[in-house]
Amino acid sequence: MASAASLAAEERTDAAPAIELIDISKSFGPVQANRDIHLTVQRGTIHGIVGENGAGKSTLMSILYGFYTADAGEIRVNGAPASITDSQAAIRAGIGMVHQHFMLVEPFTVLENIILGAEDGPLLGPSISKARAELTRLETEYELEVDPDAVVGDLSVGLQQRVEILKALYRQADILILDEPTGVLTPAEADHLFRILGFLREQGKTIVLITHKLREIMAITDAVSVMRRGEMVRTLTTAETSPAELAELMVGRRVLLRVEKAAATPGPVTLDVRNLRLVDAQGVERLRSVSFSVREGEILGIAGVAGNGQSELLEILAGMRAATSGEVLFKGRPLDLRHTTNADDRRVLGIAHVPEDRHRRGLVMPFAQWENSFFGYQYEARFGGPLTTLNRAAIRDLAREGIERFDIRPPSCDLKTANFSGGNQQKIVLAREIERDPHVLLVGQPTRGVDIGAIEFIHQQLVALRDRRKALILVSVELDEIQALSDRILVMFDGRISGERAAGTTDERELGLLMAGIDPTARGAA
């Protein structure tokens, strides 16, 4: 006698696909974002969509979720034609979407965010009571535990993502679209998310996963579609492909899935950090007597779970945050650590900074690419200096050079920065900072939300800067990136250095233990 699970599987096989996109096309002015796209997603599966930044993945899913209207084509949901003119129509069709940048109201509680836009009437009491009961059921059924009364702004990124998933399930979504869901997660949070997605699939949900991380595609998806330059290149069964094949289909050429670099030959100390402490406004000690140095011609990687002091460390070194005590020497000269307005002075010295959050700290999103290409350096003489009119021609020439050298797409210096994909936004920031040939580059999360081809390019640029005898401090939550790029690795835990390792002498397990504050060389360590 067939089991319930096998009968369910047979039913899904015989049923119409969960999603069919037929001849979907979409243009934004002269830019063709999607061209004659065909996509079929089977019910009860996890279907990956990969492609370079700007390939049209997010645009295609935004059409499915009703944020954009296609210029041409047809959408079918569970075999029936669907008119999805806005997100409410998508929700009514059983489609939910978890965006790369969460759509949550941070001062609201989890429960308030869940019911926002889905209230039963003008009186919130009945809606909240109903939502609390339903939330308890969903948390139990799908292993998505989160405190319903917690303020969202106080939650970790991983828990905020659970809230987004719960929002979609509360609205009875059977199809979930996740856009770069692990871009801001630690490895442990990403592993937990995959367990949740696997459980959702077991319960019959259909999941569309947009990601640039091929390891995740291979680990969790049943099928994968590859997009390139707005077109659908191919759809494959995941078990029958490989990361190398997917990377080549994405980029249109062979891609190195490793970082090629010669052994470092470090020179004199460029930046020397001594007993750096930071106590924040709430009295919490964020940095605890942190000491290290970085030499010219080396990449110093700093690993750690987000929230253990790495961000504050970069901000102090970049002149964006004052230190409580300690000393930092740049080529033997002490830096002013007392004020938060020294970022300009750091740039003059040759200390460049690629911030971890490009949206809040690296770019002015409504401004054009050419305007963002010189921010922070606007007082340089070639741009007109502080007392004269800006030399727009020189700035635009610089912007075009950055577009060409860093392969920024689309190649328009007049396009608003908000209209570039996340990876191309990151290239705009990197071009601005690297092209100054700084003595020190502070770089946080250099490839967050970036596709495989752009990752390869960014890694090459960082190694090339090292080989020009520059010093780099790299902060990343991606352990494989830390291991591939770094010549030395520091690990931070609870605001202090928990360990240091030379490149090639450690592995992910050892680094993971150090990230948890456990010295694996100590007696009794796991």
Side-chain angles (χ1 to χ4, degrees):
M1 186 173 181
S3 67
S6 63
L7 288 173
E10 289 174 10
E11 181 180 348
R12 286 198 299 269
T13 302
D14 295 337
I19 300 167
E20 292 174 277
L21 301 179
I22 304 166
D23 290 329
I24 297 292
S25 293
K26 179 65 178 177
S27 295
F28 298 96
V31 178
Q32 183 88 43
N34 291 154
R35 185 194 303 274
D36 299 327
I37 296 291
H38 284 254
L39 174 67
T40 300
V41 178
Q42 299 299 332
R43 294 176 63 187
T45 65
I46 300 178
H47 192 113
I49 300 181
V50 297
E52 290 188 279
N53 294 116
K57 311 181 298 293
S58 294
T59 298
L60 186 65
M61 291 300 101
S62 293
I63 290 171
L64 180 59
Y65 194 62
F67 279 160
Y68 299 141
T69 300
D71 299 331
E74 181 183 5
I75 299 173
R76 290 178 176 267
V77 177
N78 295 321
S83 176
I84 300 179
T85 54
D86 54 30
S87 58
Q88 290 300 315
I91 292 169
R92 288 193 297 271
I95 301 171
M97 187 166 183
V98 178
H99 301 269
Q100 183 176 0
H101 302 285
F102 303 148
M103 303 294 185
L104 299 172
V105 182
E106 293 193 354
F108 284 15
T109 66
V110 169
L111 200 57
E112 289 166 341
N113 271 280
I114 294 293
I115 68 170
L116 189 62
E119 303 89 345
D120 291 327
L123 298 178
L124 291 181
S127 294
I128 289 177
S129 297
K130 172 188 171 185
R132 187 180 294 276
E134 178 65 7
L135 192 57
T136 300
R137 184 189 71 79
L138 291 171
E139 287 179 350
T140 303
E141 185 173 352
Y142 296 109
E143 299 182 358
L144 286 162
E145 294 83 3
V146 62
D147 180 1
D149 298 310
V151 175
V152 163
D154 295 336
L155 297 178
S156 69
V157 173
L159 288 176
Q160 288 186 26
Q161 190 173 67
R162 290 191 203 179
V163 177
E164 286 280 27
I165 295 173
L166 284 166
K167 272 178 58 179
L169 294 175
Y170 181 75
R171 289 157 173 76
Q172 300 182 331
D174 286 318
I175 299 166
L176 280 175
I177 305 166
L178 287 86
D179 190 0
E180 297 287 357
T182 64
V184 292
L185 300 185
T186 65
E189 288 172 330
D191 289 343
H192 187 76
L193 172 65
F194 290 156
R195 288 195 294 273
I196 291 170
L197 296 184
F199 190 71
L200 288 169
R201 174 176 54 191
E202 290 175 7
Q203 301 302 308
K205 302 295 184 184
T206 302
I207 297 162
V208 180
L209 179 68
I210 305 172
T211 181
H212 67 279
K213 298 180 181 180
L214 298 183
R215 182 175 59 182
E216 296 177 359
I217 286 290
M218 300 304 298
I220 193 66
T221 66
D222 302 295
V224 54
S225 295
V226 183
M227 295 184 66
R228 186 169 72 237
R229 297 181 182 265
E231 298 184 350
M232 188 63 71
V233 177
R234 196 171 170 190
T235 294
L236 307 101
T237 301
T238 306
E240 297 174 358
T241 187
S242 67
E245 181 182 21
L246 292 175
E248 186 170 348
L249 287 169
M250 287 166 58
V251 181
R253 58 174 174 80
R254 292 188 63 187
V255 177
L256 290 175
L257 298 178
R258 63 187 184 281
V259 177
E260 290 195 339
K261 61 185 177 73
T265 56
V269 171
T270 302
L271 206 64
D272 193 9
V273 178
R274 301 176 179 176
N275 298 315
L276 198 61
R277 289 186 67 246
L278 172 66
V279 179
D280 68 15
Q282 287 73 43
V284 178
E285 192 172 16
R286 297 295 182 181
L287 294 176
R288 305 170 185 266
S289 298
V290 170
S291 298
F292 65 89
S293 62
V294 59
R295 298 176 177 271
E296 69 175 38
E298 77 166 344
I299 299 176
L300 177 68
I302 300 180
V305 177
N308 279 273
Q310 310 95 305
S311 299
E312 291 83 357
L313 174 62
L314 282 189
E315 289 174 359
I316 290 173
L317 297 179
M320 298 168 59
R321 183 190 286 262
T324 301
S325 63
E327 187 177 23
V328 177
L329 303 179
F330 172 68
K331 296 189 174 183
R333 293 175 47 193
L335 297 178
D336 184 357
L337 304 180
R338 298 168 299 171
H339 304 101
T340 60
T341 56
N342 289 317
D344 286 341
D345 295 337
R346 300 285 203 275
R347 294 188 188 98
V348 171
L349 289 173
I351 301 176
H353 179 214
V354 177
E356 293 180 284
D357 189 334
R358 56 180 172 260
H359 285 177
R360 294 186 180 181
R361 297 296 181 88
L363 299 164
V364 181
M365 302 301 289
F367 284 23
Q369 184 272 342
W370 73 266
E371 293 170 303
N372 275 287
S373 71
F374 81 117
F375 283 158
Y377 301 92
Q378 61 266 28
Y379 297 133
E380 291 182 2
R382 59 176 167 162
F383 301 137
L387 301 177
T388 59
T389 303
L390 287 174
N391 185 341
R392 292 177 177 244
I395 298 168
R396 293 172 73 88
D397 286 344
L398 174 78
R400 293 189 189 98
E401 289 171 9
I403 286 173
E404 182 176 356
R405 180 156 150 66
F406 281 75
D407 190 26
I408 296 169
R409 303 177 192 172
S412 169
C413 66
D414 294 309
L415 189 66
K416 286 184 178 181
T417 305
N419 292 335
F420 287 90
S421 66
N424 283 293
Q425 290 169 2
Q426 185 75 343
K427 286 183 180 181
I428 293 170
V429 178
L430 285 159
R432 182 181 65 215
E433 303 302 327
I434 290 177
E435 290 295 88
R436 266 74 186 177
D437 200 32
H439 297 295
V440 177
L441 180 66
L442 311 170
V443 55
Q445 316 302 341
T447 58
R448 176 175 282 170
V450 177
D451 65 70
I452 190 73
I455 288 173
E456 179 190 44
F457 178 84
I458 290 169
H459 286 174
Q460 289 170 348
Q461 296 302 309
L462 297 179
V463 171
L465 197 62
R466 180 205 73 165
D467 292 344
R468 295 201 298 272
R469 315 301 299 160
K470 311 301 181 180
L472 288 83
I473 297 178
L474 165 72
V475 169
S476 176
V477 297
E478 303 284 356
L479 285 183
D480 52 355
E481 181 168 66
I482 287 284
Q483 291 178 278
L485 284 175
S486 304
D487 302 304
R488 283 189 299 128
I489 300 172
L490 300 180
V491 182
M492 291 191 68
F493 171 75
D494 194 27
R496 59 183 174 83
I497 304 295
S498 60
E500 177 177 343
R501 297 292 185 270
T505 65
T506 187
D507 56 26
E508 191 165 315
R509 174 190 171 276
E510 183 178 33
L511 292 176
L513 288 171
L514 289 169
M515 289 165 65
I518 301 169
D519 183 355
T521 63
R523 171 178 269 178

